[in-house]
Amino acid sequence: MSNETTAGADRRDVLVYAVFLAAGAILPARAQAVGRRHVVIVDKMAFGPSPTGVKAGDTVTWTNRDIVRHTATARNGTFDVDLPPGASASAVMRRAGVVAYYCRYHPAMRSEISVGA
Ligand SMILES: [Cu+2]
């Protein structure tokens, strides 16, 4: 009996935690309120397809599915995103143009993002 009560409390705690996580994911995006979001998947030591239709002011989020750390480092210095294993991190594309980027740990990992005005 007491075990069931404990299990119930644990489930509630998990639910409350999940709601906190959801709020944390939503609120910062609303606070920015500018531009769209685009995602690049990093997997098997490679950057996935670059998003199309990115405009100045949009946010690009990289999601690292590998078990090693990566970065998305712009050659023109406009962003340097650290990507621990399993993590996601973002950068706002401030200016129009083509931005070549690479991984500082694995320089053979390269890609570019085309940012429209
Ligand atoms: Cu890397």
Side-chain angles (χ1 to χ4, degrees):
M1 265 314 170
S2 63
N3 275 348
E4 276 178 33
T5 306
T6 304
D10 285 348
R11 272 194 297 272
R12 272 194 303 279
D13 288 348
V14 167
L15 179 62
V16 166
Y17 186 55
V19 169
F20 264 101
L21 284 181
I26 291 164
L27 292 177
R30 279 197 177 177
Q32 288 175 4
V34 209
R36 296 167 57 213
R37 298 195 57 175
H38 309 269
V39 176
V40 176
I41 302 296
V42 187
D43 193 22
K44 299 184 179 64
M45 306 297 289
F47 294 110
S50 291
T52 56
V54 178
K55 292 196 181 309
D58 286 0
T59 298
V60 174
T61 299
W62 286 265
T63 295
N64 181 8
R65 290 192 181 155
D66 280 337
I67 57 171
V68 298
R69 188 174 211 132
H70 297 297
T71 70
T73 303
R75 294 200 185 276
N76 67 4
T78 52
F79 57 81
D80 186 9
V81 175
D82 185 35
L83 297 164
S88 292
S90 303
V92 176
M93 303 296 113
R94 302 266 176 214
R95 284 179 295 178
V98 177
V99 186
Y101 69 94
Y102 66 105
C103 171
R104 281 190 275 118
Y105 303 119
H106 316 100
M109 291 176 62
R110 300 170 194 174
S111 189
E112 62 182 33
I113 292 181
S114 183
V115 181

